[in-house]
Amino acid sequence: MTTVRDLFPSKYICADDLHGQDRILTIAAVVKELMYDRKERQEVLKPVVYFAKAKKGLVLNITTARIIEKLHGKIVDDWKDKRLILYPTEELSYGEMKDVVRVRPYLPKPAPSQELALNQAEEPAPSILSGV
């Protein structure tokens, strides 16, 4: 059965991709990508975290980046091979409730075998860029 999300696929992880559950993923790379920013009303470079065994990346906002910083340190290059817990939730954004993906502010305890392969990656994630 086709869903609205199927009609408008995204290259970035969205709440629907998590199927209502927490997911443990391992960081493969952090890169900056050009994308449209609604607040700035122009294209800007934004940091995106890519994960092992996942084709989609997670676009970072400052809050999410600071959570990862508290978990894994200030040096972004050191985040590679570190694990995170992503979870779906709802949040008020631009005056309406939206489904969003957030990072739990604590480290995962389950074994790496419990990681979710979000649309299994066919090729390695982009390399890590300094200064994200």
Side-chain angles (χ1 to χ4, degrees), residues 60-79:
L60 291 183
N61 60 28
I62 188 65
T63 303
T64 302
R66 285 187 177 143
I67 290 170
I68 299 171
E69 177 186 49
K70 285 180 184 177
L71 294 171
H72 298 305
K74 292 181 183 283
I75 308 301
V76 174
D77 290 336
D78 292 343
W79 295 358

Side-chain angles (χ1 to χ4, degrees), residues 33-89:
E33 295 184 8
L34 193 61
M35 61 187 73
Y36 185 78
D37 184 288
R38 286 177 64 180
K39 191 174 185 180
E40 299 290 328
R41 294 186 162 172
Q42 64 182 353
E43 288 197 339
V44 296
L45 283 172
K46 290 190 176 191
V48 179
V49 176
Y50 282 93
F51 301 95
K53 300 183 183 178
K55 199 177 228 183
K56 295 181 175 186
L58 177 67
V59 179
L60 291 183
N61 60 28
I62 188 65
T63 303
T64 302
R66 285 187 177 143
I67 290 170
I68 299 171
E69 177 186 49
K70 285 180 184 177
L71 294 171
H72 298 305
K74 292 181 183 283
I75 308 301
V76 174
D77 290 336
D78 292 343
W79 295 358
K80 185 176 182 193
D81 298 324
K82 301 292 195 285
R83 295 166 59 216
L84 300 174
I85 304 171
L86 302 186
Y87 68 98
T89 189

